[in-house]
Amino acid sequence: MSTRTSATPEHLHLLDLADPVTHVDHDLSDVWRHLREHEPVFWHRSVNGRPGFWVLTRHADVSAVYLDNKRFTSANGNVLATLLLGGDPASGTMAAVSDGHRHAGIRSILLKVFTPRALQAVVEELQENTRRLLQQVATGQAIDFAQDVAAHIPLTTICDLLGVPADDRGFLYERATTALGSESAEQSPVEVWQARNDILGYFDKLADQRRQKPGDDAVSALATCTMDGKQLTKEEITTNCYSLILGGDETSRLSMVGAVLTFTEHPHQWQALKRGDVDLSKAVEEVLRWTTPAIHFGRTAVADVDINGTKIRSGDIVTLWNSSANMDPTVFDNPSRFDLGRSPNKHISFGKGPHFCLGAYLGRAEIRAMLHSLREVVSDIEVAGEPRRLYSNLLSGMSSLPVKLKPTADTKFLSSPSAAVPPLSQGIGTPRARHGRASRG
C-alpha cells in the first residue's frame, strides 16, 4: 500500500468524494477538520454530469439526519453509488432502502433472528472458532490476516445464520467483495453488476428450497413469514438476503483487520490489551470508532430543511460522513488518539435511528471474540509485507494485511486444517485460489 498523501482544505474544489481514488490515495483528516469547523454543511459540486450533493461532517448533524426518517428518506438509495444514479433498484423491497410500514415490517421479522437470546449459541461457537483459528495461524510465519483470518469469521457466522451450505460460501465471499469494492480501478461496473446479480440469483434458489423445506435460519424466516396477511415477494426475500450477506460480513471483517494494523502502529495499546488493562467491551467500541468501516451513508431530503443555517431543498442528496463524525472533538476527547479504554464512546459506525444496523450485536461479538483471542493466543504482531487498501468510496480498510503473529508461550498449535474454522469454500476453491493471489480480504 503506497503512503497516502494528506489532502488539505485547498484541495476541496478538486476532490471528488464519490471517487474511490480519493479515499485510497488521500488522508482526508485535515479536510474533515476544516469542514467540521468552517463548512459543516458543504455543497459538493457536480462531477462528470453526476448530481451534486450535500456533505455533513459534524457528529450532531449526521446523528440528527440518521434519526429523522420523516424529512429524509433511504428509499432513493443509502450510498453514493446508487444515489448518484437516481435511485436503488431494491427500493421498497430491501429494508435498508425502504421506509415506513414496509421497512418496519421486514425489520421486525429479521430482528427475531438477531436478538441476543437467539444468537447465544452462535456467539459461543464464534468464540471457540475464533480462538482455534488464531491458534492455527499464530506460528510466527507470515500470513495474510485479511485473507487467512478475518475473511473467515464474519462470513462463516452470517452464512450459518442464513443457512448457506459450506460448499457455497467461497462463491458468496468472492461475489460479495466484488460487489462492494476491489483493489484497483480495473474492476468494471459490469463486474460489479454481475456480482450483485449472482448473489440475488443464489438466494432466489435458496428461498425456493426454504419455502419447500424451512429451517430455523434467516432465509427460512423471510421465506415463510407473512406481512399484512401475505407472504413476502421473492424480490423482498432475495434483496434482504443480499443486504445481510454484505452487511453481516464487511463491518466486522474490516474492523478486525484495521485493529491488527493499528496495534502495530500503537504498541502501547496492544500491550494494554495484552495485560488486561482495558475492558474488552470498551476496546470493541474504540476499534469500531477508529476503523469506521462504513465511510458514509446517504439520504434524500423529502422536505426543505435548515441545517446549521443552510437550506437543504426537497430532493437534494445528503451524505453523512461517519469517518468525520467519529473524529468530532466536540464528542470525543482527543479523537486522534487510539484509546481502547475510551469512555464514553458515542461513535456512529453502526448508524443510528430506524436504520441502525440489525447486526450490531453480532458484529460487536465478532470483534470482541477476535480481541480476546488475540490477547490470549498472540504475543506480538509484526507487519510482514505491504498492506493493500480496499478500493471503495463506501468501505474503509485493508484488502490485504501480511503479518507475523507470534504465539504466546502456552499456545498450542493446530496444524490440522480440520481442527480450525472450516474453509470458506469446499469444492469451489478458496478465494485465494479463485483469484490466484493472496488478497481480497
Side-chain angles (χ1 to χ4, degrees):
M1 178 188 66
S2 58
T3 302
R4 294 196 294 173
T5 59
S6 293
T8 67
E10 290 75 21
H11 295 139
L12 265 172
H13 68 288
L14 298 174
L15 292 175
D16 178 6
L17 292 177
D19 187 350
V21 173
T22 299
H23 304 277
V24 174
D25 290 350
H26 298 94
D27 178 351
L28 298 177
S29 299
D30 289 340
V31 171
W32 297 140
R33 187 178 301 110
H34 169 84
L35 290 177
R36 285 193 304 266
E37 294 176 0
H38 304 289
E39 300 179 82
V41 185
F42 173 76
W43 179 252
H44 188 291
R45 74 198 190 286
S46 171
V47 179
N48 296 328
R50 301 189 309 252
F53 53 91
W54 293 105
V55 174
L56 303 190
T57 51
R58 288 181 179 172
H59 189 282
D61 296 335
V62 171
S63 297
V65 174
Y66 273 134
L67 291 168
D68 188 350
N69 67 336
K70 302 298 183 184
R71 297 182 298 175
F72 298 93
T73 182
S74 301
N76 292 342
N78 64 352
V79 296
L80 279 170
T82 52
L83 286 165
L84 296 182
L85 292 176
D88 193 310
S91 175
T93 61
M94 184 192 294
V97 285
S98 300
D99 286 307
H101 174 70
R102 209 64 185 166
H103 167 259
I106 296 173
R107 187 177 174 88
S108 68
I109 294 166
L110 293 172
L111 276 172
K112 296 174 184 177
V113 183
F114 284 92
T115 63
R117 177 176 292 183
L119 290 170
Q120 182 177 349
V122 172
V123 170
E124 291 174 356
E125 184 174 0
L126 161 71
Q127 293 167 344
E128 178 62 23
N129 283 346
T130 303
R131 181 181 179 87
R132 293 172 70 187
L133 177 56
L134 279 176
Q135 285 178 319
Q136 185 187 33
V137 300
T139 64
Q141 301 299 311
I143 62 163
D144 188 333
F145 190 86
Q147 174 71 39
D148 299 327
V149 181
H152 291 259
I153 303 301
L155 186 70
T156 296
T157 305
I158 196 65
C159 282
D160 284 345
L161 286 173
L162 289 166
V164 173
D167 287 355
D168 299 343
R169 296 181 181 188
F171 166 77
L172 285 177
Y173 169 84
E174 190 271 341
R175 297 285 79 196
T177 51
T178 300
L180 281 179
S182 67
E183 287 182 9
S184 71
E186 295 176 2
Q187 180 172 283
S188 71
V190 174
E191 290 179 288
V192 174
W193 177 86
Q194 186 61 57
R196 292 172 179 170
N197 279 306
D198 287 347
I199 296 171
L200 292 169
Y202 174 84
F203 282 110
D204 184 78
K205 294 178 181 178
L206 193 60
D208 282 338
Q209 296 173 17
R210 294 296 189 269
R211 275 185 167 166
Q212 295 298 319
K213 190 176 180 181
D216 58 359
D217 54 86
V219 179
S220 295
L222 289 166
T224 59
C225 72
T226 58
M227 280 183 61
D228 302 326
K230 297 180 181 179
Q231 284 190 321
L232 297 185
T233 66
K234 287 289 288 297
E235 187 177 6
E236 286 173 320
I237 298 169
T238 57
T239 56
N240 283 286
C241 289
Y242 172 93
S243 179
L244 289 173
I245 200 71
L246 269 61
D249 174 47
E250 298 295 340
T251 297
S252 301
R253 176 164 58 87
L254 293 173
S255 292
M256 291 175 186
V257 179
V260 168
L261 179 60
T262 303
F263 285 142
T264 68
E265 299 167 338
H266 300 265
H268 60 290
Q269 288 298 295
W270 166 243
Q271 291 305 319
L273 179 72
K274 284 290 296 176
R275 292 191 303 266
D277 293 347
V278 294
D279 177 77
L280 278 180
S281 295
K282 292 179 181 178
V284 168
E285 301 309 314
E286 181 66 349
V287 166
L288 283 163
R289 181 191 76 89
W290 187 263
T291 58
T292 311
I295 304 172
H296 81 273
F297 281 108
R299 300 289 189 266
T300 302
V302 293
D304 291 351
V305 184
D306 183 277
I307 300 179
N308 275 318
T310 299
K311 187 172 185 178
I312 310 295
R313 297 189 179 278
S314 180
D316 285 354
I317 296 170
V318 179
T319 54
L320 316 174
W321 292 87
N322 299 335
S323 50
S324 173
N326 278 346
M327 288 289 178
D328 191 333
T330 66
V331 178
F332 306 98
D333 179 46
N334 195 358
S336 60
R337 182 183 70 235
F338 179 60
D339 179 7
L340 292 177
R342 182 181 296 277
S343 181
N345 194 338
K346 298 180 180 180
H347 69 79
I348 50 176
S349 294
F350 286 124
K352 216 169 185 179
H355 286 272
F356 181 75
C357 178
L358 273 169
Y361 174 81
L362 181 59
R364 287 182 165 113
E366 290 167 339
I367 298 168
R368 182 188 178 96
M370 181 60 68
L371 293 179
H372 181 267
S373 296
L374 283 169
R375 184 174 70 184
E376 299 297 315
V377 174
V378 177
S379 65
D380 194 24
I381 305 169
E382 176 186 339
V383 175
E386 184 179 21
R388 284 193 293 271
R389 186 170 291 276
L390 193 68
Y391 182 83
S392 174
N393 69 2
L394 171 63
L395 299 173
S396 175
M398 302 296 153
S399 63
S400 176
L401 179 60
V403 294
K404 294 179 181 179
L405 302 179
K406 298 180 182 179
T408 56
D410 58 348
T411 295
K412 296 179 181 179
F413 300 123
L414 297 176
S415 58
S416 170
S418 63
V421 176
L424 288 171
S425 171
Q426 300 169 6
I428 297 176
T430 65
R432 181 190 299 274
R434 289 175 63 85
H435 286 285
R437 55 190 181 185
S439 58
R440 305 295 306 161

